[in-house]
Amino acid sequence: MPHSTSPLSILSHRFLAFECLATDGDCTGGALTLKTSHEFFAAEEDPLSWKVILTVEFLPENSQEPSTYQGKITAEGRFQIDENFNEKNREALIRVTATSILYGACREMIAGFTARSIHGILSLPSISFRQPGEMAKGKPQPQAG
């Protein structure tokens, strides 16, 4: 099955901060909660060039029931949108696709670090950065391009 080329190219990504603490002791069965925040900016001189900053925090859901790890990671990415991509969909493309790319990089960094840590690998769950209305059942979704 042929694939179409994405209208979004990643130019670079790097990590700005990373902290991962293994919980001391054996009592680490508590659930983990995930918090994300992101910012994105179009370049003033080029509305097709964007910078995205994503922060992911992973913490025990209940402070009385520790999870295996807790920490925070921040990544920055630079992206380029194809000039033929519909202008009204650019922000959604960045919010969903660019942020998802950075989240995948954060997941990989955390998994790699924890794979050699005392509690073993932590694989953060897959998540969606679509807004709730974009995923409503029965509603047609906006098409890219």
Side-chain angles (χ1 to χ4, degrees):
M1 170 181 245
H3 297 281
S4 60
T5 304
S6 174
L8 185 66
S9 298
I10 183 167
L11 304 175
S12 67
H13 78 284
R14 58 186 171 190
F15 297 100
L16 305 178
F18 178 59
E19 178 182 42
C20 183
L21 303 171
T23 300
D24 194 22
D26 295 328
C27 184
T28 59
L32 199 65
T33 189
L34 192 64
K35 296 178 184 177
T36 65
S37 61
H38 57 274
E39 303 174 84
F40 42 89
F41 314 91
E44 287 185 31
E45 67 282 356
D46 181 3
L48 299 173
S49 181
W50 290 70
K51 177 171 85 170
V52 179
I53 299 173
L54 173 68
T55 298
V56 179
E57 291 182 79
F58 46 103
L59 309 159
E61 197 170 89
N62 178 342
S63 62
Q64 302 303 312
E65 298 175 17
S67 55
T68 52
Y69 300 102
Q70 65 180 4
K72 180 178 174 178
I73 187 167
T74 301
E76 174 188 277
R78 301 207 177 255
F79 298 87
Q80 187 72 29
I81 299 174
D82 184 273
E83 63 186 7
N84 296 317
F85 190 74
N86 190 328
E87 184 177 351
K88 70 177 183 165
N89 294 329
R90 288 179 188 165
E91 188 174 310
L93 178 70
I94 292 296
R95 182 177 32 80
V96 176
T97 306
T99 305
S100 295
I101 289 169
L102 290 180
Y103 182 74
C106 291
R107 285 181 73 203
E108 181 181 349
M109 175 70 105
I110 292 165
F113 178 83
T114 58
R116 297 191 53 113
S117 192
I118 62 174
H119 299 299
I121 193 167
L122 172 61
S123 182
L124 296 182
S126 296
I127 61 174
S128 174
F129 290 95
R130 286 185 174 192
Q131 292 178 341
E134 292 174 333
M135 296 178 63
K137 256 188 170 178
K139 284 190 175 183
Q141 300 301 311
Q143 297 299 310

